[in-house]
Amino acid sequence: MFQSFSETAHPDQGPPRLAALQAHLKAHDIAATLIPRADIHQGEYVAPGDERLAWLTGFTGSAGFCIVTQDNAGVFIDGRYTEQVRAQVDMRVFTPVNWPATKPAAWLKEALPEGGAVTYDPRLHTGAEIEKLREGLPTGFTLSPQETPIDTLWSDRPARPEGAIRVQPIDLAGEPHASKRARLADDLVEADHNGALITLPDAIAWLLNIRGSDIPRNPIPQAFALLHDDARVTLFVDAAKLDDTVRAHLGNDVAIAPYDAVFEAAEAFDGTLRLDKSSAPIIFAQSREAAGRNTAWGEDPCLLPKSRKNAAEIAATRAAHLRDAAAMCEFLTWFDEDRPATTTEIDIARKLEECRAATGALLDISFDTIAGSGPHGALPHYRVTEATNRQLLDGDLLVLDSGGQYEDGTTDITRTLPVGTPGADERVAFTRVLQGMIAVSRLRWPAGYAGRDLDALARYPLWLADQDYAHGTGHGVGVALCVHEGPQRLSKVSEVPFEPGMIVSNEPGYYRQGAFGIRIENIVVVTEATPLPGGDVTGKLCFETLNFVPIDQRLIDVGMLSQGERDWLNDYHAQCRDKITPLLSKQAAEWLNRVTASL
């Protein structure tokens, strides 16, 4: 079993730890300090020893941070975690702060009207973060880079992970790492940059065609890479993670250096070194500035090339999604026909993982399964634990968001399921969410448009009813990498134009606090659209759907659907039958045929 249901943090841990931290601030005349969720690699998921925010506050969400003064402590979270933070954090000593509506600088100005010294760990914040904070702070505040006091106060902090690294086969990667290094080095030469420091582990995994095991749910190694303008790479990694097969795969043009040697190497690098302001810890820029070295802010050279999946990667992830869909259909057959009356949320997560494991190809789940029933479904990132586990009750909706990590792909899918007979209000809301999901699935658009240009289409049916959801419509997805991947997003804040090969989720939702939640999610890949007869706009793009799992028709108010929406759903369900039936048991095949009958 990959997923654990134990509590990893508790609200009662917060007050004594906060008191110790505030005593440290007073003893060192520090007005405030920043405690981020991020680690030095700026990934969404972090190793146990980097869970500083959870250790201090109890909050385990995947995004957020805390600002602690000598008298106050604000936990900054976005709309996905409004309820979660109140359940996990001791509200007597911590105050939830709506972020990004409230900026850190604005909160600090109110908490510290006289100003003061604010410390941050330069290993844990990017140049962009510190620049934005510095711009917002008025005279009277000073920003000081210092190692976070959490690392001193956390006496039993876990050690850095030592997971083994493996080779990603060339038939799945689609391009040798020598070729990738060469074309990225050409970009450096064109920009007159002598090298680039790559700090994102998934970028390094993609560049070198390797995978790791340092972070649960994410097959990535904790490492740094220095790409030189002649296509050589220095890989900073714990040597014990590399066996002879991996070393042979990397070859002579990839030098191996100790993980911690990256700091000295980056400072001493002769020439102009590119750093990504949005992902590289600011410590590297600060050390080079102190040494009088040239630094150029620029995008991680792997970022866009990694997001444009090649033909082999797309073929591989198609195969993974078909395998995963078969596992989902076996689970849904059990859910409809064999589920015990006493089934709980934990039972759901365990059974689904069992179905994925039965494929014989599962390496890990791609994130902790979200199995939220009834009011828990209204928490978009709900994680069931032994303390919160709830039995499914008649009339509930179950939001089931899950995925698997396979050697050939990373999957993510959400289905909302009725427990017993759904209410009319739930069916109407579900249909609106479905209409938004179909609108995105059918979309054709001229090249050059970004997520911010398309996001509203998914919300339009909900907006007509004065309803909405507080998360983006879609995130980028890797191939046998992280389930959340940038820079592409289907979001009202994303300015990155979609390009062929980019993979994103399509997942509108609706959440009624204390009552129910709804989300429907498929994964789609951007492709070139076939021209339509009579059209006069060329170069259009569209989405190809990768998931083929039925959408529960018991929750659809069919009268609300247009003929085009019905046609799309009927065609989608026909594809589910054609593609998935050969992979199913007899019972599941019969179930699939029954639940995909045309509207």
Side-chain angles (χ1 to χ4, degrees), residues 139-158:
T139 303
F141 283 91
T142 59
L143 279 175
S144 174
Q146 295 182 21
E147 181 176 336
T148 177
I150 297 295
D151 290 359
T152 300
L153 298 173
W154 190 355
S155 59
D156 58 349
R157 182 181 169 216

Side-chain angles (χ1 to χ4, degrees), residues 276-300:
D276 191 324
K277 187 178 289 187
S278 66
S279 60
I282 196 172
I283 189 172
F284 294 111
Q286 290 174 341
S287 67
R288 287 185 63 77
E289 181 180 5
R293 303 284 187 178
N294 292 331
T295 300
W297 293 117
E299 190 173 78
D300 181 327

Side-chain angles (χ1 to χ4, degrees), residues 77-94:
I77 45 89
D78 62 39
R80 296 171 297 171
Y81 298 110
T82 302
E83 294 301 312
Q84 180 176 333
V85 73
R86 295 181 183 278
Q88 293 186 318
V89 169
D90 190 324
M91 304 295 290
R92 296 170 300 173
V93 295
F94 293 101

Side-chain angles (χ1 to χ4, degrees), residues 50 139 166 181 217 269 272 421 449 454 478 494 564 576 586:
D50 291 311
T139 303
R166 58 183 170 84
R181 289 187 284 107
R217 320 290 177 253
F269 182 81
T272 300
T421 304
Y449 284 177
L454 310 183
S494 177
C576 290
K586 183 175 184 293

Side-chain angles (χ1 to χ4, degrees), residues 361-492:
L362 185 69
L363 301 178
D364 198 347
I365 53 178
S366 55
F367 55 96
D368 282 351
T369 296
I370 298 169
S373 65
H376 288 166
L379 307 176
H381 278 207
Y382 171 71
R383 175 185 175 270
V384 58
T385 67
E386 292 166 355
T388 66
N389 190 28
R390 181 180 181 277
Q391 182 176 319
L392 278 58
L393 302 177
D394 186 63
D396 281 349
L397 295 187
L398 173 68
V399 177
L400 185 60
D401 189 348
S402 66
Q405 288 285 9
Y406 305 94
E407 185 180 40
D408 51 357
T410 301
T411 68
D412 184 5
I413 186 168
T414 307
R415 290 295 181 262
T416 299
L417 309 175
V419 182
T421 304
D425 204 23
E426 286 88 336
R427 292 177 67 241
V428 168
F430 180 91
T431 306
R432 292 192 186 108
V433 173
L434 175 61
Q435 288 175 310
M437 185 263 206
I438 292 175
V440 172
S441 302
R442 298 174 65 192
L443 188 61
R444 299 165 60 90
W445 70 93
Y449 284 177
R452 67 178 183 184
D453 304 310
L454 310 183
D455 177 84
L457 292 169
R459 301 176 189 271
Y460 176 68
L462 289 163
W463 284 353
L464 290 177
D466 287 348
Q467 296 173 341
D468 203 351
Y469 48 96
H471 55 75
T473 300
H475 54 83
V477 181
V479 173
L481 277 172
C482 300
V483 74
H484 290 169
E485 176 184 271
Q488 74 277 14
R489 285 192 293 167
L490 189 53
S491 163
K492 52 192 172 185

